[in-house]
């Protein structure tokens, strides 16, 4: 029996296993997890993680520190974490199944809302846009301490959130 995992970045970082929140320490551990999740199912190099954590001034111990953060993340995520976060020759990869990452669910729902609005299916457009918007719990990456991730990801995600709100409003007006 496999555990149902949920990874949430549309607000403070949150990980649930079978609905139970898992503790992920604040600070750099959350930043490493966020960086991995934002690149889910792809390798994130040690250099990318170091840049995410320390910008242009990584300490000499950056590689070992990142290894320790990943080790702690695996422990925090339990058996599922050990299986999902894999060490690759150039870095790390987190395996995320379809529907487990809130950003992916949001983007899928937004695409459905856009398609429904183009077809004039305003009830479906409103429902999909509303469902997408309910995934937002606060500002994206609200407790992730990485200026680099915030600058790269939050504007894009905020724009998508505004698109969902616009589709919802347009659909409501048509209804």
């Amino acid at each position: 029996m496999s555990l149902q995992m949920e990874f949430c970045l549309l607000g403070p970082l949150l990980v649930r296993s079978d609905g139970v929140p898992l503790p992920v320490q604040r600070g750099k551990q959350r930043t490493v997890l966020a960086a991995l999740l934002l690149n889910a199912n792809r390798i994130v190099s040690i250099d990318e993680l170091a840049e995410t954590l320390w910008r242009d001034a990584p300490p000499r111990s950056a590689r070992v520190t990142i290894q320790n953060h990943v080790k702690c993340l695996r422990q925090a995520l339990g058996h599922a974490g050990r299986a999902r976060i894999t060490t690759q020759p150039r870095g790390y990869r987190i395996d995320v199944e379809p529907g487990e990452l809130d950003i992916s669910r949001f983007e899928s729902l937004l695409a459905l809302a856009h398609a429904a609005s183009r077809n004039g299916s305003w009830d479906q457009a409103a429902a999909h846009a509303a469902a997408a918007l309910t995934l937002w719990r606060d500002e994206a990456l609200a407790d992730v301490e990485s200026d680099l991730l915030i600058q790269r990801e939050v504007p894009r995600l905020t724009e998508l959130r505004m698109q969902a709100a616009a589709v919802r409003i347009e659909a409501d007006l048509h209804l």
Side-chain angles (χ1 to χ4, degrees), residues 50-61:
E51 182 183 11
T52 299
L53 292 168
W54 298 287
R55 289 294 267 230
D56 298 328
R60 282 195 210 181
S61 62

Side-chain angles (χ1 to χ4, degrees), residues 118-162:
R118 283 192 298 276
N119 294 331
S121 301
W122 299 112
D123 55 340
Q124 289 181 346
H128 291 309
L133 290 168
T134 63
L135 295 173
W136 286 77
R137 297 169 291 109
D138 197 349
E139 187 80 24
L141 306 173
D143 63 351
V144 174
E145 298 172 10
S146 171
D147 292 338
L148 188 63
L149 286 182
I150 301 296
Q151 290 170 359
R152 283 184 185 166
E153 298 295 332
V154 171
R156 177 184 77 82
L157 293 170
T158 301
E159 170 62 28
L160 292 176
R161 185 181 193 181
M162 289 190 297

Side-chain angles (χ1 to χ4, degrees), residues 18-57:
D18 282 340
V20 177
L22 299 177
V24 177
Q25 287 185 1
R26 292 195 177 275
K28 297 199 182 320
Q29 200 176 110
R30 280 178 185 257
T31 301
V32 169
L33 182 56
L36 292 172
L37 288 170
L38 288 164
N39 294 283
N41 303 315
R42 295 187 302 255
I43 296 170
V44 181
S45 73
I46 295 287
D47 291 340
E48 289 175 79
L49 290 171
E51 182 183 11
T52 299
L53 292 168
W54 298 287
R55 289 294 267 230
D56 298 328

Side-chain angles (χ1 to χ4, degrees), residues 73-103:
L73 282 172
R74 286 177 174 146
Q75 290 171 346
L77 300 181
H79 179 70
R82 285 187 284 283
R84 286 172 183 265
I85 301 175
T86 58
T87 302
Q88 304 293 319
R90 296 183 350 258
Y92 297 95
R93 171 187 164 119
I94 189 167
D95 293 319
V96 176
E97 298 295 323
E100 290 182 331
L101 180 61
D102 64 349
I103 292 173

